Amino acid sequence: MAGNKRVVAVLAPTNTGKTTYAIERMLAHRTGVIGLPLRLLAREVYDRIVKARGPSVVALVTGEERIVPPRTQYWVCTVEAMPQEMGADFVAIDEIQLCADPERGHVFTDRLLRARGLHETLFMGSDTMRGTIAALVPGVDFMRRDRMSELVYSGQKKISRMKPRSAIVGFSVENVYAIAELIRRQKGGAAVVMGALSPRTRNAQVEMYQNGEVDYLVATDAIGMGLNLDVDHVAFSALSKFDGRRMRPLAPNELAQIAGRAGRGFKSGTFGTTGDAPALDDGVARAIMDHNFTPQNKVNWRNHALQFGSIDRLIQTLEMPPEDERLVRARESDDLKALKALAQVDEVFARATDGASVRLLWDVCRIPDFRGISHAEHAGLLETIFNDLHQRGYIPDDWLARQIKRIDRTDGDIDALSKRLAFIRTWTYVAQRKGWTKDESHWRDTTRVVEDRLSDALHERLTQRFVDRRTSVLLRRLGQKEAMVADVNETGEVTVEGEFVGKLDGFRFRVDKGAGAAEDKTVKTAALQALAPQFHLRADRFYNAPDTEIDFTEQGGLMWGSAAVGKLTAGSDALKPQVEVFVDDIAGPEVAEKVKRRLQHFIDRKIAALFEPLLALSKDETMTGLARGFAFQLVENFGILPRAQVAEDVKSLDQDARGALRKHGIRFGQFTIFMPLMLKPAPTRLRLVLWSLSKDLSEFPESPPPGLVTIPVEADAPAGADTMSGYRNA
């Protein structure tokens, strides 16, 4: 091996043997540590190294699992759980591109900057990190590895046409379960893989797939992180995901990380989209096939040099800004949120007064919120744990036993078991902390037994059934091609075959929000198929409804009661707006046309009634010459003209012309020429909408409250809005 402290970045696509290479390099040294992005992957790598060297020299350390033999030489860990500064000969970090991850990126960046082996350090990941690693890690060598097989884009395909040995990827639990249920009904079954599953459940599911009991795999993006599976095709059921804060589209390199699971070894693989996901853009598909992505020039960072003199000082050091332009301060993570919440609790603040107690508080705050119930509830749990540890030096056995006993049940459905598994992960994590319990080995064994029991029960449920009764019923009826019965109550709630599926809002169906994307599609298909006759009945009722039931909004929307049924759009003439209707395609062109006709009648009548004086002026055939031209300008400006705008025309008007105009109620004011009848609240409200349409505004100014002589000036109002409101800026 060249050099004494060699730092190498192996940056390459998936299926290039990076992890295998890292294991080989580690085993070439006397001691080593490898940090991996997922607990599942850590377990897989641990099993491989145990197979090569035996269990007596290999440790597995994750947040919830700790197997450390006395003669440990090789440590397999999640990146967060890597032992710091232990002086191993070899250190490796996998999936180093996760430095850019908004949630965990700062941990990976910290390892990139500070984790080093005495003889060799290895960073594995995507080539997008090349520039950043070169800038942040002096003297790094780069190693390129080529993908062993081809990856080819095969377009969009229905789930029903998916070939065997395919993995369908979703980005929410609901989505994964709904697809798995759909495949069960159409293809005979699917295995489920998610990061939230325990390794035991996941391994049992994967085994079903690997040994051919089922031909399909439904997974979250957890499969993108190096899990080795026999997959020929990867299909995305969605192209965006919730990242903890918001829904966002996946970047091409993120899609590639997952798509790259197709084709292992020298066997080529394909990738594409399915379900609600549109076909990939040509450029994106080509980038994935060529492994060519935008460089990752910014990575998340959080200060590691923490000071524990006081809670405030700790928070200050955690929030310090980075000094390098490539480093971006990480967004506020759960542990820092918890610390800030507990700092507001008087008892906690009174206890955490010295370095040791502040350090203990920070260790407690780093207990992950596996349960995901609410920040307040999580903070309440952490408060109890901290107070016990600070006061007694340990967590009381009887209290811990009560928490675990509540979870130790294997009844209930998939969701109930998944929740209990998330809950037991908290206590598995707590049991792994050194010195937090009186009898560490007892509590580690207890939590492990409960997790295994729940894992086995969840595996059993997953193999029996994947989603709720509603989707099962609707899928079955859809498959049977029978007509389904829909019922709509007075509030618009829709039930199909007795199952609640969503609401009818005007002429658009809103699917029940409890579902994921794939389940949505099934429910919506079934509901719209059954709703077809309901749309016709509703359209007849709407067509015969009086004008009093219909109204326009100040932003140009058209309402039938509380339901939005359309919107106004600009026409060829400002006083003749057009109508765009909100009608589901399944309702058919006949329903859409009927709704459109009724709305056009409504707005035409509304303009005729509220703008009667203005329309009478435009139709007065007796007016000629300058008076007619002036009347035309007034009509064009909805009955209000700033005098300065037409000063020359006003001077040119003789007494007869003025008289003819005054007959229509037109007043020649000092600053404005106007029709008083057009200044009433109702015409003003309509005038502002029509004027905004004619100006193609994205946001319409609101009409002023009736009866006021003065109103505040809106600083950002579009030019002319004051005049159209019937006021003048003073």
Side-chain angles (χ1 to χ4, degrees), residues 431-630:
Q432 297 301 329
R433 306 280 73 75
K434 204 166 175 59
W436 280 18
T437 54
K438 271 183 175 177
D439 186 348
E440 287 170 28
S441 61
H442 164 73
W443 290 114
R444 283 174 187 171
D445 290 345
T446 301
T447 52
R448 174 66 53 233
V449 166
V450 174
E451 183 175 315
D452 286 351
R453 213 175 359 249
L454 289 168
S455 298
D456 291 342
L458 180 57
H459 169 62
E460 195 182 303
R461 299 291 196 288
L462 287 169
T463 54
Q464 288 170 351
R465 175 178 155 273
F466 290 97
V467 334
D468 64 27
R469 179 175 171 271
R470 173 179 67 186
T471 310
S472 303
V473 168
L474 299 178
L475 273 168
R476 190 160 56 248
R477 295 308 298 270
L478 276 171
Q480 291 164 352
K481 303 276 193 295
E482 290 179 21
M484 286 181 283
V485 179
D487 185 56
V488 184
N489 70 10
E490 288 175 6
T491 60
E493 290 184 342
V494 180
T495 53
V496 176
E497 299 291 317
E499 300 290 334
F500 172 70
V501 292
K503 285 189 82 169
L504 202 53
D505 179 15
F507 296 91
R508 290 188 295 190
F509 175 65
R510 308 281 187 204
V511 75
D512 175 31
K513 286 295 172 204
E519 194 177 348
D520 272 0
K521 192 174 181 189
T522 303
V523 172
K524 195 166 185 178
T525 304
L528 292 176
Q529 183 180 313
L531 278 171
Q534 292 283 347
F535 280 121
H536 284 278
L537 289 170
R538 194 165 262 233
D540 289 342
R541 215 172 83 227
F542 176 63
Y543 198 78
N544 295 311
D547 277 1
T548 49
E549 285 185 17
I550 307 171
D551 199 5
F552 64 91
T553 71
E554 297 199 346
Q555 295 301 314
L558 292 165
M559 309 294 290
W560 180 27
S562 62
V565 288
K567 68 175 184 179
L568 294 171
T569 59
S572 55
D573 183 321
L575 292 178
K576 291 177 183 168
Q578 296 301 297
V579 165
E580 185 182 310
V581 294
F582 301 155
V583 177
D584 274 332
D585 289 346
I586 197 83
E590 197 181 317
V591 169
E593 187 53 41
K594 194 172 271 192
V595 173
K596 187 172 184 175
R597 269 205 317 275
R598 180 65 188 89
L599 287 174
Q600 196 68 57
H601 291 335
F602 161 76
I603 197 63
D604 290 347
R605 282 204 289 266
K606 187 64 82 173
I607 291 169
L610 295 179
F611 284 13
E612 188 183 356
L614 199 60
L615 295 171
L617 176 66
S618 70
K619 291 171 185 167
D620 188 346
E621 298 290 344
T622 62
M623 228 180 292
T624 56
L626 286 172
R628 187 164 184 76
F630 198 83

Side-chain angles (χ1 to χ4, degrees), residues 680-707:
K680 289 186 173 181
T684 296
R685 182 168 168 261
L686 180 57
R687 177 172 60 249
L688 278 167
V689 170
L690 298 182
W691 175 76
S692 300
L693 286 170
S694 70
K695 296 290 181 192
D696 197 24
L697 299 181
S698 56
E699 196 171 328
F700 300 0
E702 292 186 12
S703 62

Side-chain angles (χ1 to χ4, degrees), residues 319-393:
E319 292 188 327
M320 274 180 65
E323 292 177 359
D324 192 292
E325 62 176 9
R326 284 187 182 260
L327 304 177
V328 178
R329 190 169 75 187
R331 72 187 187 191
E332 191 172 83
S333 48
D334 288 343
D335 50 10
L336 180 52
K337 270 188 201 147
L339 179 63
K340 286 181 174 179
L342 292 185
Q344 304 302 312
V345 179
D346 292 342
E347 186 181 351
V348 172
F349 197 80
R351 287 182 185 279
T353 52
D354 57 22
S357 56
V358 173
R359 191 181 288 273
L360 173 64
L361 176 60
W362 178 234
D363 283 344
V364 170
C365 288
R366 290 167 74 192
I367 298 172
D369 183 12
F370 295 117
R371 305 178 305 161
I373 300 174
S374 73
H375 285 304
E377 197 159 337
H378 183 59
L381 176 66
L382 300 185
E383 182 188 339
T384 304
I385 292 172
F386 171 72
N387 288 340
D388 278 333
L389 288 172
H390 190 268
Q391 187 175 333
R392 295 184 170 88

